[in-house]
Amino acid sequence: MEANFNSDQEQQELQQLASKKVLKLKSFYSHTVVYIIGLTVFLLKEYTELPLNFFPIRYFNCFVMILWSAIYIGSAIDVFTSFKIFDEEWEARKVKSILDKRERKQKWE
């Protein structure tokens, strides 16, 4: 019974890690859509004669776009390199070691 409980607990921990990965990917993809829209509006403002000088677009300048691009690239590196460096096997080992440490601390006798 106890071995089955540990297996269920490990499975639940792995499920939580997987759901965190999915949420990270979802937020990155939505950030990508907003970034593409912002970049398109910035390029239209800079290189065409369209009257795009209303409130939020008025403040799109090169500094803002460079900063936003750096944040976007950092976000991409965070999302995609973490999958390659810290793969599923590493996460499973780490979860198991954390659970083992917790189990060793809580000895009920």
Side-chain angles (χ1 to χ4, degrees):
M1 173 86 179
E2 187 175 315
N4 191 16
F5 177 73
N6 286 338
S7 175
D8 291 341
Q9 191 175 13
E10 286 179 15
Q11 188 68 23
Q12 189 176 22
E13 292 286 331
L14 290 174
Q15 180 77 22
Q16 287 176 349
L17 286 173
S19 66
K20 285 180 186 179
K21 279 186 182 181
V22 169
L23 286 175
K24 253 180 144 176
L25 275 172
K26 182 180 175 183
S27 71
F28 176 74
Y29 291 144
S30 57
H31 185 197
T32 300
V33 169
V34 172
Y35 177 74
I36 289 172
I37 291 169
L39 186 62
T40 304
V41 169
F42 172 73
L43 292 173
L44 286 174
K45 179 184 168 230
E46 290 295 315
Y47 297 109
T48 64
E49 297 295 323
L50 295 176
L52 296 173
N53 267 341
F54 48 92
F55 169 65
I57 297 176
R58 181 181 327 165
Y59 298 107
F60 272 13
N61 56 21
C62 287
F63 176 74
V64 171
M65 290 311 294
I66 289 171
L67 185 64
W68 194 1
S69 297
I71 291 170
Y72 178 75
I73 290 169
S75 176
I77 290 171
D78 178 47
V79 168
F80 293 115
T81 60
S82 65
F83 290 137
K84 290 181 174 66
I85 295 172
F86 303 113
D87 59 349
E88 293 174 7
E89 291 177 12
W90 178 85
E91 288 178 0
R93 285 193 314 264
K94 195 66 174 172
V95 166
K96 187 172 188 220
S97 72
I98 290 171
L99 292 174
D100 287 344
K101 285 179 186 177
R102 188 179 304 159
E103 190 176 297
R104 275 185 255 136
K105 286 181 182 178
Q106 295 180 348
K107 291 290 183 180
W108 301 95
E109 292 187 36

